[in-house]
Amino acid sequence: MEEQRMDPDALAKAFVEHYYSTFDTNRVGLANLYQDGSMLSFEGQKIQGSRDIVAKLTSLPFQQCQHSITTVDCQPSGVNAGMLVFVSGNLQLAGEQHALKFSQMFHLIPTPQGSYYVLNDIFRLNYA
Amino acid sequence: MEEQRMDPDALAKAFVEHYYSTFDTNRVGLANLYQDGSMLSFEGQKIQGSRDIVAKLTSLPFQQCQHSITTVDCQPSGVNAGMLVFVSGNLQLAGEQHALKFSQMFHLIPTPQGSYYVLNDIFRLNYA
């Protein structure tokens, strides 16, 4: 993510595409997007720090998955040029007949290097 | 909302109950929860400022509705003791047979008076 001069909506969309394509093809690669102070709430479980967050994401009980994004909203978070990104979409797990609906929000904070990291990440499946 | 000494999860839950009970019984009363710098994204439409946000919410094409909350997640937003609150639930409109599923996030910022206001609000229906 080195797209700081893009407009916020384009930046949010680029982040979302990068995040989910990394999730779907190389989950370990998500480590670069989190820092020690990052927090993930995954289906109600709170996990802090890049290492533990990626340990959680790589231990999920499925090998292959594919995210399809339905909506992306973004707003400035009012802090240090941070940005709130709100996503809804579908998650298809390998071998499962039906996709799962999900919603997820990210709070992105710029880094001194001109990219962004995820300070806050909240994920929920939307059960029918 | 004058519950600053509650723990964050209890505070988030109290906010959510207050917000949706106000929405369902007295939508105009939501004006107190927003300020001039507040932003609402409602189904992709961005609206800024308490007055325009409440004008939008009160102009929605239904009179009576009832929110039922399924999940509430919260995290500190890293700014001025701010808090991110992520909600999923169902929205029942008067006269409609089926409830609509929704997800919504709020970024709450403390006020000098010891309560909180909504800086960011993003709402999406989750269509089946």
Side-chain angles (χ1 to χ4, degrees):
Chain A
M1 295 303 299
E2 297 190 9
E3 313 279 352
Q4 202 162 31
R5 282 161 298 185
M6 295 168 70
D7 83 79
D9 287 301
L11 176 66
K13 208 165 219 174
F15 167 79
V16 165
E17 284 171 10
H18 176 65
Y19 182 90
Y20 293 111
S21 69
T22 305
F23 196 113
D24 294 349
T25 58
N26 174 34
R27 237 177 285 171
V28 172
L30 295 172
N32 300 324
L33 294 175
Y34 298 95
Q35 295 190 0
D36 285 351
S38 301
M39 194 174 287
L40 167 67
S41 294
F42 188 88
E43 287 288 279
Q45 183 188 0
K46 284 187 188 175
I47 300 142
Q48 185 147 8
S50 179
R51 198 184 56 180
D52 288 352
I53 289 171
V54 173
K56 172 67 182 179
L57 296 177
T58 54
S59 73
L60 292 173
F62 50 84
Q63 289 302 309
Q64 287 189 295
C65 63
Q66 187 166 5
H67 291 80
S68 313
I69 304 312
T70 307
T71 64
V72 178
D73 292 294
C74 83
Q75 291 184 4
S77 71
V79 49
N80 300 333
M83 204 164 63
L84 295 167
V85 180
F86 186 92
V87 181
S88 70
N90 294 289
L91 173 57
Q92 181 68 54
L93 305 184
E96 296 286 333
Q97 190 176 0
H98 297 293
L100 302 166
K101 300 180 71 60
F102 74 92
S103 301
Q104 188 162 14
M105 62 143 292
F106 302 96
H107 185 195
L108 305 182
I109 305 288
T111 65
Q113 294 77 32
S115 70
Y116 284 82
Y117 78 95
V118 178
L119 175 60
N120 303 98
D121 177 353
I122 302 180
F123 175 91
R124 281 284 181 182
L125 291 172
N126 301 132
Y127 292 104
Chain B
M1 296 300 299
E2 298 190 8
E3 313 280 352
Q4 203 163 31
R5 282 161 297 184
M6 295 169 69
D7 83 81
D9 287 300
L11 176 66
K13 207 163 220 175
F15 167 79
V16 165
E17 284 170 11
H18 177 64
Y19 183 90
Y20 293 110
S21 71
T22 304
F23 195 113
D24 293 349
T25 59
N26 174 33
R27 237 176 285 169
V28 172
L30 295 172
N32 299 325
L33 295 175
Y34 298 94
Q35 295 190 1
D36 286 350
S38 301
M39 193 175 287
L40 167 67
S41 295
F42 187 88
E43 288 287 278
Q45 183 188 1
K46 284 188 189 177
I47 300 143
Q48 184 146 8
S50 179
R51 198 184 54 181
D52 288 352
I53 288 170
V54 173
K56 172 67 183 179
L57 296 177
T58 54
S59 73
L60 293 173
F62 50 82
Q63 290 302 309
Q64 286 189 294
C65 62
Q66 188 166 5
H67 291 80
S68 314
I69 304 312
T70 307
T71 64
V72 178
D73 293 293
C74 82
Q75 292 183 4
S77 70
V79 51
N80 300 334
M83 203 164 64
L84 296 167
V85 181
F86 186 91
V87 181
S88 71
N90 294 290
L91 174 56
Q92 181 68 56
L93 303 183
E96 296 287 333
Q97 192 176 0
H98 298 292
L100 303 166
K101 299 180 72 61
F102 73 93
S103 301
Q104 189 162 14
M105 62 142 293
F106 302 96
H107 186 195
L108 305 182
I109 305 288
T111 65
Q113 294 77 32
S115 70
Y116 285 81
Y117 78 96
V118 178
L119 176 60
N120 303 98
D121 178 352
I122 302 179
F123 174 92
R124 280 284 179 181
L125 291 171
N126 301 132
Y127 292 104

